[in-house]
Amino acid sequence: MRILIPIVLLLAFAAAPAAALDRKPRKKRKARTETPVQMAPAPQAAPMPEPEPTLDSAALLPPPERVDDLTLGLSAAQADSLVAAWSERQRQEAFRAFFENYVLVDPPAGDTTPDSVYTHRLRALASPVQLPYNAIVRGYINRYVDSRYGTIGRILGMSQYYFPLIEDELIRSGLPVELRALPVIESALSPTAISPMGAAGLWQFMPSTGKSYGLEVNSLVDERRDPIRSTEAACRFLKDLYAIYNDWTLAIAAYNCGPGNVNKAIARSGGKTFWDIYDYLPRETRGYVPAFIGASYAYAYHRQHGIQPVAAPVPLSVDTLRISRLMHLEQIASTIDVKMETLRQLNPQYKLDIIPATTKTYTLVLPQRNVAQYIAREAEILAKDSMYLKEYIDPANLDKKRQERTGTVYTVKRGDTLGAIARRYRVTTAQLMRWNKLKSAHKLRIGQRLRIEGR
C-alpha cells in the first residue's frame, strides 16, 4: 500500500502538464473562431456601392402627376356613374331606414283592426300637424291602403324621388316635414296632373296663385309643374296661411279652398278648429284634411298592410345644368344616351319640349350618369337647333304641337285596371276607352300605353 501511494502521486503530476498542453490548443481554436467576427468583411462579400446620380438622371425630371384621390384616375363619365350609384343607394337606404327606425312595427292590420290600433299608430307619428282619428279618417285610410286601387304603391315609388327634394325645402322653410303628404292628396305625386278647374302640378296651383308666388306660366313653360320651383312657392304659400290661422289643419284646409271660404266657415260656425267648422266648409274641403291624415298614415304604415313600393319610373340620382340657348329636348335625346320620355319626366315644366332660353337661363335636369356625356357633346347638341326648332318658328306649328301635348301617356303595369287608372287621373273609364279606342275595359296588357287627354 505504501508503494502504491507514491506511484499514484507521480502519475498525477505527470498528467497535469499534459492536460495543460491539451487546453492551450483549444484556446487558440476558440480565438480563431471569434477572430473573423471582428475582422472587416472580405472584399468579395462587400455590397456593390450605389452609383452616384448624374446630371441627366431621372431624379432631375418633374415628378409624375398625382392621381386625384377622389376620382382615382377615372373619366368624368365613370365618376358620374359612381356618384349616381352612391346617390341612389343613399335615397333607397334613407327610405328603408325611415320605416324601420321611426315607424312603429306591429302585426299586419286587416279589416278587423280595432280603432285603438289606428289611434295608437297616428299618435306615434308625433307631429306639429294634428293627426286625430275618427270614422271619417278611417274611411280615407281604408281608401289609401286598399290594394285594389294600387295608389299608395305607386306613390311610395315616386316618393323616393320627390320626397327628398320636398322635405329639403320644407325644412329650409321651417315647416313640418309631414306637409310632404299634401302633394300626395293634391296630385298623387304626378307633376303633370291637371284638375278640371285648371290647377296643375304636384301642388295643384291655379294659374293666378302660381303667378302671385313667382311661378312662370305661359305657352312654353309652366313652372307649376316644376317640382323644385312649385315646392318653393308652396312653402311660401303655406307659411302665409299658417300666419293667418296659427293652426295647421285650418291652413291645410285654406290651401285647398282658399282662406276666404275658411273665414266664412269660421264666421258661420263660431268654431276655431277644422272639426268645429267641418260642416260649413265646401264639400271637397271637408275630406281634404281627413285625406291628408289618411295619406300620412298609409305612407308610414304601408308595410302593416302588405303594400310594396312600385319601382320609381325616373332615375333617383340627377343633376341640374343651366341652359342659356334655345333648345329642344330632342337635341339631347338624339345625341346622348337619354330617352325622350326620361327627359320629359325630369323636366315636366317644358310643355312643348322646348327650353326657351333666349333672354334668361333655364334649368335642365339630367340623370347623373349622363351629365359628363352631355358636357362632352354639348357643341354637337347645340348644333342641332336648326334641325329640331325650325318647325316651331311658325306660330301655327306651335298651336299644333300644343294640341298634341295637352295630354299625358300612362304605361300599364302589373295589377292595373282601367277603373283604377281613371280614378288616378280623375277621368272616367268611358273617356279612357274613347281616347284609346278600347273595345273592352277588361283587356289591358302590361306595357300598354294609354293616352289621357287634357292632363
Side-chain angles (χ1 to χ4, degrees):
M1 186 69 181
R2 292 178 181 173
I3 299 171
L4 289 174
I5 292 172
I7 295 172
V8 171
L9 292 173
L10 180 64
L11 291 174
F13 282 114
L21 291 174
D22 288 341
R23 283 196 297 270
K24 288 179 181 178
R26 288 196 190 101
K27 287 183 179 180
K28 289 180 180 178
R29 283 197 298 268
K30 184 176 182 182
R32 281 198 298 269
T33 57
E34 294 174 353
T35 302
V37 176
Q38 299 173 356
M39 293 174 62
Q44 59 272 21
M48 294 295 293
E50 294 184 3
E52 295 184 1
T54 59
L55 292 177
D56 58 347
S57 104
L60 297 181
L61 295 176
E65 185 177 352
R66 187 178 67 86
V67 177
D68 194 324
D69 292 335
L70 294 178
T71 64
L72 300 177
L74 300 176
S75 67
Q78 290 171 325
D80 270 344
S81 181
L82 289 177
V83 170
W86 170 80
S87 179
E88 290 169 4
R89 187 171 64 252
Q90 290 289 97
R91 287 203 176 195
Q92 291 167 350
E93 179 62 21
F95 180 81
R96 181 191 63 80
F98 172 79
F99 301 105
E100 291 191 356
N101 299 331
Y102 299 103
V103 175
L104 196 65
V105 178
D106 46 23
D111 293 336
T112 59
T113 303
D115 289 345
S116 60
V117 172
Y118 289 111
T119 303
H120 180 64
R121 288 175 177 172
L122 287 172
R123 285 178 180 172
L125 300 177
S127 168
V129 183
Q130 294 180 353
L131 302 174
Y133 176 79
N134 54 41
I136 300 172
V137 170
R138 176 155 187 168
Y140 280 92
I141 289 175
N142 291 340
R143 182 179 302 182
Y144 274 105
V145 300
D146 193 330
S147 59
R148 293 176 298 174
Y149 294 100
T151 302
I152 197 65
R154 188 193 70 84
I155 289 171
L156 287 167
M158 295 301 297
S159 71
Q160 295 180 68
Y161 177 76
Y162 288 114
F163 273 11
L165 62 89
I166 291 172
E167 291 169 356
D168 283 349
E169 190 58 37
L170 288 170
I171 293 170
R172 191 160 36 243
S173 301
L175 300 176
V177 292
E178 290 76 15
L179 294 174
R180 65 192 168 198
L182 270 181
V184 172
I185 62 175
E186 284 285 358
S187 63
L189 290 183
S190 173
T192 57
I194 300 177
S195 76
M197 299 298 293
L202 288 176
W203 296 88
Q204 289 290 284
F205 275 107
M206 293 295 289
S208 57
T209 308
K211 289 180 179 179
S212 69
Y213 280 91
L215 299 180
E216 181 178 352
V217 182
N218 54 46
S219 298
L220 294 179
V221 179
D222 190 345
E223 288 187 333
R224 296 177 299 167
R225 296 161 47 158
D226 184 325
I228 299 291
R229 295 280 293 129
S230 65
T231 299
E232 292 171 350
C235 287
R236 293 195 296 272
F237 188 21
L238 287 166
K239 289 185 77 170
D240 289 345
L241 293 173
Y242 185 75
I244 295 172
Y245 300 107
N246 201 34
D247 179 283
W248 278 117
T249 56
L250 291 178
I252 291 171
Y255 186 93
N256 176 254
C257 66
N261 285 320
V262 171
N263 291 345
K264 285 184 283 187
I266 292 173
R268 289 168 179 164
S269 67
K272 296 182 179 180
T273 70
F274 171 83
W275 298 105
D276 291 338
I277 67 173
Y278 177 86
D279 293 325
Y280 297 88
L281 289 168
R283 182 177 179 181
E284 181 183 349
T285 308
R286 292 177 199 170
Y288 196 73
V289 170
F292 174 87
I293 299 171
S296 299
Y297 172 93
Y299 176 73
Y301 295 106
H302 66 276
R303 290 183 177 180
Q304 282 69 32
H305 294 268
I307 299 172
Q308 296 297 324
V310 175
V314 294
L316 297 183
S317 178
V318 298
D319 205 348
T320 304
L321 299 172
R322 301 296 302 187
I323 304 300
S324 57
R325 278 183 53 175
L326 188 69
M327 181 184 294
H328 194 287
L329 295 182
E330 281 282 6
Q331 294 175 235
I332 304 167
S334 65
T335 309
I336 65 175
D337 301 326
V338 182
K339 294 180 180 179
M340 188 65 180
E341 188 58 33
T342 300
L343 290 174
R344 285 172 174 164
Q345 289 174 328
L346 295 178
N347 302 275
Q349 66 271 32
Y350 302 122
K351 298 164 66 174
L352 302 181
D353 301 332
I354 297 175
I355 305 175
T358 54
T359 58
K360 66 176 184 177
T361 62
Y362 285 85
T363 59
L364 170 67
V365 179
L366 289 175
Q368 179 72 55
R369 289 179 169 85
N370 301 105
V371 172
Q373 190 181 19
Y374 174 92
I375 294 172
R377 305 185 68 179
E378 186 173 31
E380 184 180 348
I381 292 169
L382 296 175
K384 293 183 176 182
D385 55 355
S386 60
M387 182 188 307
Y388 289 99
L389 291 170
K390 60 182 180 181
E391 61 180 309
Y392 295 95
I393 297 174
D394 187 348
N397 288 334
L398 277 175
D399 291 337
K400 180 181 177 182
K401 289 293 180 182
R402 189 178 300 114
Q403 292 173 3
E404 292 176 356
R405 289 296 313 280
T406 54
T408 189
V409 176
Y410 177 77
T411 303
V412 177
K413 301 176 180 62
R414 185 182 298 277
D416 278 342
T417 64
L418 203 64
I421 296 171
R423 285 190 292 272
R424 183 177 303 168
Y425 288 95
R426 302 178 184 179
V427 297
T428 65
T429 303
Q431 286 176 316
L432 284 178
M433 294 179 67
R434 184 174 69 253
W435 294 334
N436 295 278
K437 299 179 181 179
L438 301 177
K439 295 181 180 180
S440 173
H442 306 289
K443 293 183 179 179
L444 293 179
R445 64 181 185 279
I446 297 175
Q448 183 178 355
R449 295 166 67 84
L450 298 178
R451 182 168 183 79
I452 296 95
E453 299 286 351
R455 308 310 301 159

